[in-house]
Amino acid sequence: MEQHNGPPGPDGRGGGAHAPAHDPFLGGWADTDTRPPPLSGAAWAAKRRSAVSERFPGERIVVPSGGLKVRSNDFDHAFRPHSAFIHLTGEQGTQAVPDSVLVFEPTGSGHAVTLFTRPRSPRHGGPHGAEFHSDRRYGEFWVGRRRTLTGTADALGVEVAARDDLERALAHRVPTRVVRGQDALVDTLVPRSDPAEAGLAAFLAELRLVKDEWEIEQLRAAVGSTVAGFHDVVGELPYATRLARGERWIEGTFNRRARLDGHGLGFETIAAAGAHACVLHWMRNDGPVRDGDLLLLDAGVEADSFHTGDVTRTLPVGGRFTDAQRRVYDLVFAAQSAGIAALRPGARYRDFHEAAMRVIAEGLDGWGLRPPGGTAPTPVSERYRRYTVCGSGHMLGLDCHDCTGARDETYRDGTLESGHVLTVEPGLYFQPDDLTVPGELRGIGVRIEDDFVVTADGVVCLSSGLPRGADEVEEWVAASR
């Protein structure tokens, strides 16, 4: 990895402002500017911006993309913009520019919307003339080229200005709401207004609850790639069993698919073998994958549009469930099936969770299992929480757990409608040291998760390309050996 040898910039990480008088990088560059076509989601993003303008007349709305985050010393994590910014711009993948800010400036008839962003690194001197070759964080020679301001305007269909103009644009005092905590300069320039900004955050989350046609197609693609990644993993199970850290091989297999097909991962891959499956968000992935154990794989590909899939399968590594594993798997499968059957437009959002939990409760009661404190008056959703821990699903979209900033009355206490995309994912987790369950069940964790879009007359399973029932899963795994 090359080291930076130029002078430090304003952030202390390289990239001086002006090029030296005898800079060997000045001059001799071909004109390589291009006019990119509009991104496929740009027209849909314009409609969402109109909804924001209509909701907040007379107010300035500021939505930053967020910036780079340091991973170690002078290396940053890969950039991923804030989801509200993505939703309102239609920005995609590696073209996204850190430190961009979308500003809705009120006018007499609505808002003038401007995207303040970094232009392409200049090649011909000027205030940032050395950036392209000396700034390892933003320079073109170090991290690749950005679009010109004109190119960004063409791609996103929005007015564009240089990031350097942002402070002046925000200097005029008008009522302003900010997506806070994403841009230090914006947070400094605009006084806090906590109730108003909470209202903005809730509205932007609720704007994503019902997906439009373009978003649903993006989610279909993301889930399709996720399904392909699961098939990749099943093909690698025999090899994973030979490795001391076979979970890492599983993780890497899925992650390769995510990078090949999309922008990357929607969340860190959970590759949990054996008792690790009882840890809901096991992401260490440093254990072995043994014949006779279960592998719980919870993973999602993030498309270039930043929409993500989220699917879970629990796989018998050797191709066959043991009797105890099968008993747990079949109960979770029955619970998921009941949850799926409860999905329909007009149903309460909570219905699918309650349907799944009723099946879990009946099954565990039939096994004679009831954790301490789980008396009959205790609500079913709480009575067996020791073994289920969390809910049975969530909204899905740009975030894996999408729209969490929405008000309860529009999300958790709301009703399902056409355009909602959500997961159904009940699970049972019997901790290896839990003395309230029989010994043969300890260390077994099972979750089954699929992704659904609600339509006008029902639901469609986006992840139907994967086996779900125990017999089909066994056949799937056994066929790969």
Side-chain angles (χ1 to χ4, degrees), residues 338-387:
I340 295 168
L343 297 178
R344 67 180 67 86
R348 296 185 312 147
Y349 171 80
R350 295 182 186 272
D351 284 351
F352 75 90
H353 171 64
E354 293 177 0
M357 284 306 304
R358 281 194 295 271
V359 172
I360 293 284
E362 292 169 3
L364 294 182
D365 276 349
W367 297 356
L369 284 182
R370 180 169 291 179
T375 59
T378 306
V380 169
S381 59
E382 292 295 322
R383 192 182 310 163
Y384 298 96
R385 193 173 179 186
R386 182 182 180 112
Y387 309 136

Side-chain angles (χ1 to χ4, degrees), residues 67 152 170 177 193 197 218 239 268 292 299 310 345 376 378-379 403 411 433 447 461 463 473 477:
T152 298
L170 297 181
R177 301 185 193 226
S193 177
E197 289 168 359
Q218 298 307 305
Y239 186 73
E268 291 299 312
D310 180 13
T378 306
C403 309
Y411 184 171
D433 57 350
R447 180 163 66 250
C461 181
S463 49
V473 168
V477 175

